[in-house]
Amino acid sequence: MTTATQLTLATGLVARFADSRRETRTICQGEVHLVAEDETGAVILGEVLDVSSSGFRASYREPSLSAGTEVRFRHKFFRGRARVMWSNPILNSTQSGFQVMRDV
């Protein structure tokens, strides 16, 4: 079964979704600076949540970056360019998944 929903007295409604991630994630924290490479040139200060071999997930308080937006990023362990793959507003913040763009 790929998706299951259950009701428990202790926690209420709990939804479980199959994990469709292709790569293992490693928890990584720290401040990340994102600069949109579009007409807005938005500068965003966020927090890295986890990393994989091809990207990272970050949380930030500014309006959501659109999928496809390219950004320059800087973290204490890495820097470069990435493309926003998805964004999900959650309460007072947004989480986005970024795919690092490698120079060939």
Side-chain angles (χ1 to χ4, degrees):
M1 179 181 283
T2 60
T3 303
T5 303
Q6 65 185 17
L7 181 62
T8 66
L9 294 175
T11 60
L13 186 62
V14 177
R16 290 189 202 156
F17 299 97
D19 193 344
S20 60
R21 295 175 175 176
R22 293 184 213 166
E23 299 174 343
T24 302
R25 303 308 199 266
T26 302
I27 293 174
C28 179
Q29 297 178 330
E31 192 173 87
V32 63
H33 294 262
L34 304 165
V35 179
E37 292 187 331
D38 61 9
E39 63 279 352
T40 69
V43 178
I44 296 171
L45 180 61
E47 181 78 17
V48 171
L49 302 173
D50 57 39
V51 298
S52 70
S53 62
S54 65
F56 61 96
R57 182 171 57 108
S59 176
Y60 51 92
R61 295 201 178 274
E62 287 77 4
S64 299
L65 291 166
S66 300
T69 301
E70 295 183 5
V71 299
R72 285 180 283 123
F73 66 90
R74 188 177 75 241
H75 179 271
K76 64 183 173 182
F77 297 127
F78 44 82
R79 66 181 58 220
R81 291 180 53 234
R83 178 175 294 122
V84 178
M85 301 308 292
W86 57 267
S87 287
N88 186 19
I90 300 173
L91 296 177
N92 295 328
S93 66
T94 299
Q95 287 187 10
S96 293
F98 297 86
Q99 180 179 27
V100 174
M101 299 169 64
R102 308 213 191 293
D103 294 328
V104 181

